[in-house]
């Protein structure tokens, strides 16, 4: 018999589903489930279980706790496929998940339990973006549990996520950018930030540049990797954030002479040190040819440049936002800007820099005005 329902009390039913024969022991495998409700509820459960069994999708219940499962998922699924940076981000997020959900049996996690957890995070003061980041990790982990036939469905799929509050990215105005360029040009490591501002690269990308990536004649730069300093020490080159992040950007022609001078000075210093100079071929390197740490650079050079120029206290990453904002405000095709930034879609670019859109729309309207009504002015 494929399935059987047995009455066990008032509005209580025991469903038995035949799962086949264990190839190792030769014994029949059965699944039992107690249903509290009407007989029709029990029949619906049995029908669904039989259908999932026949489709090879039935998940046998597991007594594994969420915390135990998350550790297995990190080691067996996440670690082999994500970057070191992403893996460490996941570890930090699991520290938020485990205290609240870790003690639950994996099969007992419900959409309501997850929704309550997210609401508690919001009530504790976490911003919506952080809660959404928690959701991405939890959803991914539970999705894998479905693939591994440990749970029949992903309970994180049926929760409501908090709305994101759009905030304008801190950027420099064209006049402020000119002030920044003037002061950075006189700083020993200012060339790093001049390249950052004029190309829109992420800090990890421009700090990972090697001279073979740069065409000093044309200014073409191939972005092929990113630099990351893991917790615990050391540094690694990693794959770019996404496939689209592997791209070619161009250093403006006006900046190329400064880049060439930087190359010449670095070669002279390398000859002076001889074998002491590390052979990483990094475009931006420390005194011994090793990689620069963005936090050290931030304190020793970037903040000093901002202060000397009398500019707002922004992050080095905000030079990327400045690049994008200035390009869009200058009416550069959004697709070109998106490709330069390495965004996955043009929609992401426009959504991220939506504060620039009104001026773009006004420019478009003025263009149509001059084309359609040339004599009305």
């Amino acid at each position: 018999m494929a399935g059987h329902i047995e009455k066990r009390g008032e509005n209580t039913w025991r469903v038995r589903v035949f799962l086949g024969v264990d190839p190792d022991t030769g014994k029949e495998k059965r699944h039992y489930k107690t249903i509290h409700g009407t007989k029709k509820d029990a029949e619906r459960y049995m029908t669904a279980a039989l259908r999932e069994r026949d489709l090879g999708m039935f998940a046998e219940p597991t007594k594994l706790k969420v915390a135990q499962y998350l550790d297995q998922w990190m080691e067996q699924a996440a670690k082999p496929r994500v970057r070191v940076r992403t893996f460490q981000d996941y570890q930090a997020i699991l520290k938020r998940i485990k205290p609240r959900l870790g003690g639950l049996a994996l099969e007992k996690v419900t959409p309501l339990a997850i929704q309550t957890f997210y609401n508690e995070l919001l009530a504790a003061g976490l911003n919506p973006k952080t809660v959404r980041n928690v959701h991405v990790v939890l959803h991914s982990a539970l999705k894998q549990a479905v693939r591994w036939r440990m749970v029949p469905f992903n309970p994180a799929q049926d929760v409501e996520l908090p709305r994101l509050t759009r905030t304008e990215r801190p950027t420099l105005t064209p006049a402020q950018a000119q002030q920044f360029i003037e002061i950075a040009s006189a700083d020993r490591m200012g060339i790093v930030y001049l390249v950052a501002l004029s190309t829109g690269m992420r800090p990890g990308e421009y700090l990972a540049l090697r001279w073979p990536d740069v065409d000093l004649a044309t200014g073409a730069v191939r972005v092929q990797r990113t630099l990351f300093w893991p917790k615990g020490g050391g540094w690694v080159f990693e794959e770019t954030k996404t496939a689209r992040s592997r791209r070619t950007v161009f250093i403006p022609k006006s900046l190329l002479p400064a880049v060439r001078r930087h190359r010449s000075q670095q070669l002279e210093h390398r000859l002076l040190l001889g074998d002491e100079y590390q052979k990483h071929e990094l475009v931006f390197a420390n005194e011994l040819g090793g990689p620069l740490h963005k936090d050290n650079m931030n304190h020793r050079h970037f903040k000093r440049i901002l202060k000397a120029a009398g500019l707002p206290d922004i992050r080095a990453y905000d030079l990327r936002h400045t690049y994008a904002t200035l390009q869009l405000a200058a009416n550069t095709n959004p697709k070109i800007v998106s490709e330069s930034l390495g965004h996955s879609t043009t929609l992401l670019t426009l959504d991220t820099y939506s504060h620039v859109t009104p001026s773009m729309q006004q420019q478009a309207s003025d263009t149509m005005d001059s084309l359609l009504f040339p004599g009305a002015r």
Side-chain angles (χ1 to χ4, degrees), residues 139-211:
H139 184 278
S140 181
L142 293 175
K143 185 177 180 180
Q144 187 63 57
V146 175
R147 293 196 189 103
W148 283 340
R149 306 290 188 266
M150 301 176 76
V151 292
F153 69 98
N154 186 346
Q157 192 168 331
D158 299 315
V159 298
E160 294 291 331
L161 297 178
R163 289 184 179 180
L164 288 176
T165 52
R166 296 293 177 188
T167 56
E168 187 172 325
R169 312 283 179 167
T171 60
L172 300 177
T173 66
Q176 289 174 329
Q178 288 297 323
Q179 291 175 255
F180 181 86
I181 291 170
E182 182 180 347
I183 301 301
S185 298
D187 187 276
R188 182 173 63 86
M189 299 301 291
I191 187 65
V192 177
Y193 299 111
L194 294 178
V195 170
L197 175 61
S198 61
T199 62
M201 284 187 283
R202 301 175 178 92
E205 293 172 343
Y206 56 74
L207 292 179
L209 285 179
R210 300 176 65 246
W211 285 113

Side-chain angles (χ1 to χ4, degrees), residues 115 118 122 131-132 135-136 156 159-164:
Q115 187 74 67
Y118 291 171
L122 290 169
V131 175
R132 281 175 168 261
H135 173 74
V136 167
V159 298
E160 294 291 331
L161 297 178
R163 289 184 179 180
L164 288 176

Side-chain angles (χ1 to χ4, degrees), residues 118-298:
Y118 291 171
N119 291 343
E120 288 173 350
L121 291 179
L122 290 169
L126 263 68
N127 63 54
K129 188 176 188 302
T130 302
V131 175
R132 281 175 168 261
N133 289 340
V134 171
H135 173 74
V136 167
V137 175
L138 184 58
H139 184 278
S140 181
L142 293 175
K143 185 177 180 180
Q144 187 63 57
V146 175
R147 293 196 189 103
W148 283 340
R149 306 290 188 266
M150 301 176 76
V151 292
F153 69 98
N154 186 346
Q157 192 168 331
D158 299 315
V159 298
E160 294 291 331
L161 297 178
R163 289 184 179 180
L164 288 176
T165 52
R166 296 293 177 188
T167 56
E168 187 172 325
R169 312 283 179 167
T171 60
L172 300 177
T173 66
Q176 289 174 329
Q178 288 297 323
Q179 291 175 255
F180 181 86
I181 291 170
E182 182 180 347
I183 301 301
S185 298
D187 187 276
R188 182 173 63 86
M189 299 301 291
I191 187 65
V192 177
Y193 299 111
L194 294 178
V195 170
L197 175 61
S198 61
T199 62
M201 284 187 283
R202 301 175 178 92
E205 293 172 343
Y206 56 74
L207 292 179
L209 285 179
R210 300 176 65 246
W211 285 113
D213 303 325
V214 181
D215 186 332
L216 288 173
T218 64
V221 175
R222 293 186 302 277
V223 180
Q224 303 187 84
R225 70 194 70 80
T226 186
L227 176 69
F228 178 57
W229 295 78
K231 294 176 182 176
W235 59 273
V236 294
F237 284 136
E238 290 191 313
E239 291 289 322
T240 53
K241 187 175 182 180
T242 65
R244 295 236 176 170
S245 293
R246 292 177 65 91
R247 63 199 188 279
T248 297
V249 298
F250 286 86
I251 297 173
K253 292 180 180 179
S254 298
L255 185 58
L256 276 177
V259 176
R260 296 188 189 110
R261 283 195 301 274
H262 169 69
R263 173 60 166 160
S264 297
Q265 291 166 0
Q266 191 185 76
L267 286 173
E268 290 175 7
H269 181 69
R270 179 173 178 173
L271 286 172
L272 186 65
L273 290 187
D275 291 340
E276 292 183 39
Y277 195 87
Q278 299 171 30
K279 299 177 174 60
H280 299 302
E281 291 290 335
L282 289 166
V283 174
F284 306 121
N286 62 28
E287 291 293 317
L288 295 177
L292 297 169
H293 196 296
K294 64 181 180 67
D295 292 339
N296 292 339
M297 286 288 293
N298 182 60

Side-chain angles (χ1 to χ4, degrees), residues 289-319:
L292 297 169
H293 196 296
K294 64 181 180 67
D295 292 339
N296 292 339
M297 286 288 293
N298 182 60
H299 293 302
R300 296 175 185 174
H301 297 278
F302 185 67
K303 295 299 182 181
R304 187 171 65 190
I305 293 171
L306 290 176
K307 186 175 181 179
L311 296 173
D313 185 22
I314 62 174
R315 305 168 304 162
Y317 200 101
D318 293 325
L319 296 179

Side-chain angles (χ1 to χ4, degrees), residues 29-68:
K29 295 168 61 180
R30 295 184 177 87
H31 162 62
Y32 296 92
K33 176 73 173 179
T34 299
I35 301 295
H36 298 282
T38 66
K39 187 175 183 180
K40 284 190 176 297
D41 292 330
E43 290 171 345
R44 276 195 293 268
Y45 177 83
M46 185 177 73
T47 300
L50 290 171
R51 182 174 63 251
E52 290 175 359
R53 181 203 65 179
D54 294 341
L55 292 173
M57 298 172 59
F58 184 77
E60 294 190 61
T62 174
K63 298 302 181 184
L64 202 66
K65 300 293 186 183
V66 169
Q68 296 171 308

